[in-house]
Amino acid sequence: MFCCLKNCLNGVLPPQTVQIRREHDPIQLDTSHMGHEVVVIKGGQRACGSGGVIANTPLLQSKSYFEVKLQQGGQWSVGLATQQADLNESKGGFDKETWCLTSENVVYHNAKPLHKLEPNVEPDGTIDTDPAALSKLDTNVTSALVNNSGIPQEGDTIGVAYDHVELNFYLNGTNLNVPVLNVRGTVFPCLFVDDGAILDIVLDNFTFSPPPGFERILIEQSLL
């Protein structure tokens, strides 16, 4: 656990002689709605430890988008959850209150597999590099290769788009084509971690452009 926490804190703690003040981000991971063994740091943007955590703002607008950076591999789940979800579980998608893509490369809801990701590799077995995905990169981000294998790996970015009809997942800007229907209730972004996984939620300044018509999560006052 100490090793996991050390990696989780890597690059977050400033030198002791330097004081850093950050403006409070109103949308972040909600420490009042997380599992007992989850650790949330980096201004409410990073989750590690064991269990689940949801964001503090629901997806109320017509088309919402956020990203999750797979900072370190392990067991993880990414998706949507209601406030009634069991956040002490180490996996998301295994109750009726969560809809998640998992590190098993399967999309689950209520412990039922909805989709299984299929790898997309070149004939020689190398990872595919998608020029279209490269073109979607933010201009401030440089990357020599973009994983387009169809299977998330450490260092990848998972995009999550929800329009109250479908929940869709993206891998480095490419739609994985595993739409989830019948998401019910007031839902929030959720992250589940275990076995050393470290996830960062990205709520603005995205690595990849959102799908057409989708935008960052807005707080309720912004919708008025």
Side-chain angles (χ1 to χ4, degrees):
M1 180 67 179
F2 174 76
C3 180
C4 172
L5 182 58
K6 180 180 178 181
N7 290 336
C8 189
L9 293 171
N10 185 34
V12 175
L13 293 178
Q16 294 182 356
T17 57
V18 178
Q19 293 184 350
I20 296 179
R21 295 182 180 179
R22 293 184 178 179
E23 184 178 351
H24 175 68
D25 187 345
I27 304 179
Q28 58 188 359
L29 298 176
D30 189 352
T31 55
S32 66
H33 287 91
M34 69 179 190
H36 297 313
E37 297 185 10
V38 177
V39 178
V40 172
I41 58 171
K42 201 179 177 185
Q45 308 301 308
R46 174 169 293 180
C48 52
S50 179
V53 58
I54 64 174
N56 62 356
T57 301
L59 306 186
L60 299 178
Q61 70 216 66
S62 59
K63 294 184 177 182
S64 305
Y65 177 81
F66 65 94
E67 292 179 343
V68 178
K69 179 78 169 181
L70 305 181
Q71 292 287 4
Q72 182 168 294
Q75 179 179 290
W76 52 263
S77 309
V78 171
L80 302 180
T82 71
Q83 288 186 328
Q84 288 70 49
D86 184 356
L87 299 176
N88 288 312
E89 289 290 334
S90 61
K91 294 181 181 179
F94 282 76
D95 64 9
K96 65 180 181 179
E97 305 295 337
T98 54
W99 298 259
C100 291
L101 170 64
T102 73
S103 53
E104 300 172 3
N105 304 319
V106 178
V107 179
Y108 283 101
H109 169 61
N110 203 20
K112 297 179 180 178
L114 304 180
H115 299 282
K116 181 174 177 58
L117 302 184
E118 297 296 335
N120 177 28
V121 297
E122 299 289 352
D124 61 1
T126 59
I127 295 176
D128 188 11
T129 302
D130 184 6
L134 284 171
S135 68
K136 297 175 186 176
L137 278 169
D138 185 275
T139 54
N140 295 323
V141 177
T142 58
S143 177
L145 292 174
V146 173
N147 170 24
N148 192 42
S149 68
I151 303 298
Q153 301 176 17
E154 185 174 300
D156 285 341
T157 297
I158 296 176
V160 182
Y162 179 59
D163 64 1
H164 298 270
V165 177
E166 287 187 358
L167 164 64
N168 280 284
F169 296 96
Y170 293 74
L171 177 60
N172 298 326
T174 299
N175 194 337
L176 290 171
N177 295 312
V178 288
V180 178
L181 304 175
N182 299 317
V183 176
R184 301 183 183 279
T186 300
V187 292
F188 300 71
C190 71
L191 310 179
F192 286 79
V193 290
D194 198 17
D195 195 26
I198 300 174
L199 302 180
D200 284 2
I201 190 167
V202 181
L203 299 163
D204 203 353
N205 299 318
F206 300 121
T207 303
F208 295 88
S209 299
F214 286 79
E215 59 182 341
R216 64 181 178 85
I217 300 169
L218 302 176
I219 58 177
E220 190 171 3
Q221 293 90 332
S222 301
L223 298 174
L224 300 179

